[in-house]
Amino acid sequence: MIELKTPSAIEAMREAGRVVARALVAVREAAAVGASLADLDEVAHGVLRDTGAKSPFLNYLPSFAPTPFPAVTCASVNDVIVHGIPDGYRLRDGDLVSIDFGAELNGWTGDSAISFIVGSADPADVALIETAERALAAGIAAAVPGGRIGDVSAAIGSVIRAGGYGTPAGFGGHGIGRHMHEDPHVPNEGRAGRGLRLRAGLVIAIEPMLMAGGGHHYLVAPDGWALHTVDGSRAAHAEHTVAITEDGPRILTLP
Ligand code: MG
Ligand code: MG
């Protein structure tokens, strides 16, 4: 079922989105060489405590997962595409890190992800991240009343393909509101003019996932959560929660 949000609900989601943005800024600032992924998760946890928000990630148990998610961030390093469990791994110079984070405040949810490089950057990794951000921007630009979900998907997919990158089959964005994952699914590839008609009040998380080695295949880690590239190539992820409004797309997870 697709639930359209009222303007006051969108304002409430904006407040949840501010918490998400604040946590991602704090995590990025803390992500120095030598910091562990668990350290970064604790930084994000601190923002939840400071703001009184809850984590929609902690103990999340979707149908594909064997165990509840044990943290408030997904921390996906290098060849991990998404859903990495933050552990004791300590960041090394040149690591490509994706952090995905959600917050629930006053019953409404925000969801956003960033990718960045720790220390010295390989130009190929910079290009991968910049393309993920451009794919996200293209998807957001297509999120307008009267358009279709396929327009968003096609916009994302064309940027990914033009860069020569791949995206894991079946994974993409989603409706969001009182729950982190609501209808509709927002694929990262699709055909313009197809799919659900976009209306003001629809709020979606748009989240391109890019694999430097191309293709659509991925591997699932033994923990049942982390998605890895098959060839060990690096991956990047970018995400915002976006409200479709009569005035155009409104990003709810900006600082
Ligand atoms: Mg997310
Ligand atoms: Mg999401």
Side-chain angles (χ1 to χ4, degrees):
M1 196 190 80
I2 310 285
E3 186 205 355
L4 298 178
K5 277 72 180 179
T6 63
S8 66
I10 290 172
E11 291 307 322
M13 290 188 72
R14 173 70 180 120
E15 295 312 308
R18 279 187 217 281
V19 174
V20 175
R22 180 173 155 187
L24 288 173
V25 167
V27 167
R28 184 167 189 167
E29 281 175 359
V33 171
S36 77
L37 301 180
D39 292 339
L40 302 186
D41 195 70
E42 183 48 37
V43 168
H45 222 138
V47 172
L48 291 173
R49 279 193 296 269
D50 289 350
T51 55
K54 291 192 286 193
S55 172
F57 286 26
L58 186 64
N59 296 319
Y60 187 57
L61 185 57
S63 55
F64 66 78
T67 54
F69 196 77
V72 302
T73 58
C74 293
S76 304
V77 180
N78 296 336
D79 66 317
V80 181
I81 308 162
V82 288
H83 301 166
I85 294 176
D87 58 13
Y89 174 82
R90 291 191 179 278
L91 295 173
R92 298 177 190 171
D93 188 52
D95 277 348
L96 193 171
V97 182
S98 301
I99 300 291
D100 193 346
F101 179 78
E104 183 191 320
L105 185 71
N106 299 320
W108 295 98
T109 308
D111 185 12
S112 179
I114 56 171
S115 294
F116 55 88
I117 295 157
V118 179
S120 334
D122 183 325
D125 293 337
V126 174
L128 180 67
I129 293 170
E130 286 179 351
T131 307
E133 292 170 350
R134 275 192 292 116
L136 174 57
I140 292 170
V144 293
R148 302 261 189 182
I149 284 289
D151 299 346
V152 175
S153 302
I156 294 167
S158 68
V159 173
I160 294 175
R161 276 194 311 279
Y165 303 120
T167 188
F171 286 85
H174 47 90
I176 181 169
R178 292 203 174 270
H179 303 281
M180 179 166 61
H181 290 139
E182 299 183 353
D183 289 336
H185 179 58
V186 185
N188 285 328
E189 284 194 342
R191 292 172 68 177
R194 301 291 181 93
L196 179 78
R197 176 79 68 185
L198 304 178
R199 294 167 61 190
L202 182 65
V203 183
I204 53 177
I206 300 175
E207 47 179 317
M209 304 159 194
L210 278 64
M211 305 187 292
H216 301 286
H217 297 295
Y218 58 87
L219 298 172
V220 179
D223 65 25
W225 277 100
L227 266 53
H228 289 252
T229 59
V230 172
D231 57 4
S233 68
R234 291 189 165 192
H237 181 207
E239 178 178 23
H240 273 305
T241 297
V242 179
I244 293 160
T245 79
E246 296 294 355
D247 301 325
R250 180 178 175 200
I251 303 173
L252 303 181
T253 38
L254 286 174

